[in-house]
Amino acid sequence: MALTLTDVAFDYAVGTSLAQPALRGVTFSVAPGECVVVLGPSGSGKTTLLRIAGGLLIPSRGDVTVDGMSRGARRVDPFRGAVGLAFQRPEAQFFAATVGEDVAFGPRNLGNGDGAAAAESALELVGLSPGDFAERSPFTLSGGEARRAALAGILAMSPRYLLLDEPTSGLDAAGHRAVSEAIARARATAGVVVVTHDAAEFLDHADRVLVLQEGAAAFSGSVRDLLADADRLEAGGAWVPPEHVRAQLLARRLGRTTSPPVLDPGEAARILFASGGVT
Amino acid sequence: MIRFESVGFAYPGSGGRSALTRVTLTVEPGELVAVAGANGSGKSTLARLADGLLRPTSGSVTVDGVDTADDERVWDVRSLVGMVFQDPDDQIVGTIVEEDVAFGPGNLGVAPAELRERVDASLAAVGLSALSRREPHLLSEGQKQRVAIAGALAMRPAYLVLDEPTSMLDPGGRRSVLDLIDGLAHREGHGVLHVSHDATGIARADRVIVLESGCVAYDGTPAGLLSDQAMLARAGIALPEIGVLADALRALGARVPEGTMDAESLVGALWP
């Protein structure tokens, strides 16, 4: 079982003077239980990739399959119920009178009773207590609360593949923790793809990393290989590593250390301190 | 200056639940003031009060002495304060990028030659000159966020209110927008109110105000906030990895100044 994209390309505004390629042949897959983190500068094609993986855009070239089924091979849409996509601004999709109804809408439509139980546990999962939030209008939530409620709406459908576009932008520290824990739990059964600029936060979860640059894969591999390749990716403009990783790269360029960068800040401190000459 | 005097605010239909309570603060020209606080603490409400989009339920907000509740002077307030919303889709109206940036000053009646100059300068300031003829809906969210900032800059306001303007930017883009914000306040003399969850953004402010359940819980320097674990937790700010790294180095005996939030200063402090 896997959600697989093979040599996928996509062009926006085809046939107009504004035509531009967004993806130029990207191959990528995620299996249930795996987490893939997608990095890359603004405009590199991350959101387009996610929309293709979610079945919202049909690629101009290449194949997308969900557990071996492609669109058109059966009358049933293979994405339906299997793939949950949370938009970058998911609060744009609220419509119900209360948060509880909004979150229950998905599971109810998938035949999971009235959806109330699924909604309640999904709200708990994102750190919004149902007692405080289920009866509120979604339109009275703050930006960060709305983001979490919208994510709960996706989680409530228990998708096999969970696609998240910048799930923590605009969230406070508690929101970051809640989303991070929600991903860790969802991942026990689902394949998770996270598009993010916040590499430091999500690389801990990642089995694999894909770095996009101008619509093509600038890197694809493990976190360890990503860190080992950080100098090249940074020099080429594909990735600006988190500041604590940049500090380690800088120390290495100055000849202060020979160690490849690590993600854990405590371990990084020990390596830098042990490298000598520290004031 | 922008002056909040004991401002209270409750949204209509909220059953009297206050979004802000007795908030007093000032933003002077040339000053960069960050506003932090957990989700739902009232940051965006405060931002919308600063340019008169919302009017206080109690207390007053004045901009260069003009009361935002004065119906006669509302356009004066609007031309003094530029606003960049959290969601750029809330404010992009043009069919192509440069037209969107020209929309505000065009409405103010700016002459064509100057309009061209303002649009080009604003797009250059946010690094979008190459995309000036792109359709906004074909831009990434991070690019749209920069279009929204360019649109506010083109109005040449005395004050700028930025509601999480870097939340969707990549790290390179975030750094360049933070540099831009810094320059707007400290080189060009704008008064800037910057709503942010991001410790690296907060570290560059002259002053930080932390809101907690609509009240001011902290008003002081960024270094004071960033070295106060308890206040950081109340503000809903996670110390980024670079801050954790700096703390860990200090614990080992290295001399790293409080508030060090970027790689260059950290490495510079370790090996001067």
Side-chain angles (χ1 to χ4, degrees):
Chain A
M1 290 219 294
L3 172 59
T4 304
L5 280 66
T6 310
D7 193 26
V8 162
F10 190 84
D11 304 290
Y12 282 106
V14 175
T16 74
S17 61
L18 299 165
Q20 47 160 331
L23 286 179
R24 307 162 193 261
V26 175
T27 295
F28 143 104
S29 90
V30 61
E34 276 186 333
C35 177
V36 178
V37 166
V38 182
L39 306 170
S42 284
S44 59
K46 303 185 298 299
T47 297
T48 304
L49 181 80
L50 215 57
R51 289 181 177 214
I52 289 173
L56 290 182
L57 292 176
I58 296 175
S60 28
R61 187 183 83 216
D63 293 316
V64 185
T65 59
V66 182
D67 299 337
M69 278 198 297
S70 56
R71 187 199 293 279
R74 302 265 174 98
R75 291 181 72 87
V76 180
D77 178 355
F79 294 94
R80 191 185 139 89
V83 184
L85 170 61
F87 293 108
Q88 203 162 1
R89 292 249 156 225
E91 53 271 34
Q93 55 203 27
F94 289 136
F95 63 96
T98 69
V99 170
E101 282 171 47
D102 209 287
V103 177
F105 177 81
R108 190 172 72 231
N109 273 317
L110 293 173
N112 183 3
D114 66 359
E120 197 158 304
S121 56
L123 283 170
E124 295 274 12
L125 204 58
V126 298
L128 295 178
S129 129
D132 291 335
F133 286 94
E135 295 306 316
R136 295 254 310 259
S137 159
F139 304 101
T140 65
L141 301 177
S142 79
E145 290 162 352
R147 178 63 49 85
R148 291 196 245 170
L151 177 60
I154 311 289
L155 291 172
M157 293 186 274
S158 311
R160 267 199 309 290
Y161 302 99
L162 181 62
L163 314 178
L164 305 169
D165 198 352
E166 293 276 359
T168 53
S169 75
L171 292 186
D172 60 17
H176 277 253
R177 275 194 301 277
V179 167
S180 194
E181 282 163 22
I183 290 172
R185 274 191 253 174
R187 202 190 149 165
T189 52
V192 180
V193 181
V194 186
V195 163
T196 184
H197 290 309
D198 201 347
E201 172 154 37
F202 290 105
L203 286 180
D204 278 341
H205 291 295
D207 294 303
R208 271 172 298 123
V209 184
L210 173 67
V211 181
L212 289 180
Q213 185 177 27
E214 292 176 12
F219 172 89
S220 173
S222 69
V223 175
R224 178 188 286 269
D225 291 345
L226 172 78
L227 292 168
D229 207 6
D231 267 323
R232 176 187 72 90
L233 292 167
E234 188 179 22
W239 185 43
V240 180
E243 287 297 306
H244 74 298
V245 173
R246 286 189 59 241
Q248 299 169 67
L249 294 174
L250 236 82
R252 199 167 57 169
R253 269 176 236 150
L254 293 172
R256 295 295 181 176
T257 165
T258 51
S259 310
V262 296
L263 272 188
D264 179 67
E267 197 186 333
R270 284 189 290 280
I271 292 171
L272 291 178
F273 195 76
S275 63
V278 171
T279 56
Chain B
M1 74 174 87
I2 300 180
R3 176 190 287 277
F4 280 55
E5 197 64 60
S6 195
V7 169
F9 185 82
Y11 282 97
S14 63
R17 200 158 48 95
S18 295
L20 287 181
T21 311
R22 285 194 297 280
V23 170
T24 296
L25 62 91
T26 58
V27 183
E28 312 249 13
E31 192 182 24
L32 174 52
V33 178
V35 178
N39 288 147
S41 61
K43 302 184 299 300
S44 295
T45 303
L46 186 145
R48 280 155 195 255
L49 282 156
D51 77 341
L53 276 178
L54 297 174
R55 291 165 179 199
T57 316
S58 60
S60 69
V61 178
T62 57
V63 181
D64 288 351
V66 181
D67 194 320
T68 61
D70 183 346
D71 286 329
E72 306 286 309
R73 309 284 307 271
V74 63
W75 297 109
D76 294 337
V77 172
R78 296 281 158 81
S79 64
L80 281 168
V81 186
M83 173 95 182
V84 176
F85 293 102
Q86 205 165 3
D87 184 348
D89 287 329
D90 286 350
Q91 69 192 104
I92 291 179
V93 295
T95 54
I96 60 171
V97 165
E98 62 177 20
E99 185 188 312
D100 187 79
V101 175
F103 180 80
N107 275 337
L108 293 180
V110 169
E114 192 195 335
L115 191 58
R116 180 80 256 166
E117 190 268 314
R118 282 199 195 187
V119 168
D120 291 346
S122 305
L123 285 173
V126 298
L128 280 188
S129 302
L131 300 181
S132 65
R133 305 199 56 82
R134 198 60 81 74
E135 289 180 78
H137 72 271
L138 295 177
L139 299 179
S140 76
E141 292 296 328
Q143 289 164 339
K144 281 195 258 185
Q145 218 159 18
R146 293 199 245 175
V147 173
I149 296 171
L153 289 181
M155 304 279 283
R156 303 267 161 94
Y159 302 93
L160 272 163
V161 177
L162 309 163
D163 194 354
E164 299 203 39
T166 64
S167 62
M168 292 183 286
L169 298 179
D170 57 59
R174 184 175 308 176
R175 188 148 3 119
S176 71
V177 168
L178 290 178
D179 288 344
L180 174 69
I181 292 172
D182 207 322
L184 287 171
H186 299 136
R187 275 199 309 280
E188 295 180 30
H190 294 274
V192 181
L193 193 67
H194 177 200
V195 175
S196 176
H197 283 300
D198 173 28
T200 49
I202 289 166
R204 300 176 67 160
D206 299 309
R207 209 148 50 79
V208 193
I209 287 156
V210 172
L211 291 178
E212 188 176 36
S213 307
C215 301
V216 174
Y218 177 90
D219 183 346
T221 63
L225 172 64
L226 294 169
S227 59
D228 181 344
Q229 295 290 337
M231 187 50 75
L232 278 175
R234 286 168 67 188
I237 299 169
L239 199 58
E241 279 72 10
I242 183 85
V244 181
L245 172 60
D247 280 352
L249 282 163
R250 265 181 232 117
L252 290 169
R255 271 184 293 178
V256 182
E258 294 288 346
T260 300
M261 285 290 154
D262 68 277
E264 284 79 5
S265 347
L266 180 80
V267 171
L270 291 179
W271 296 288

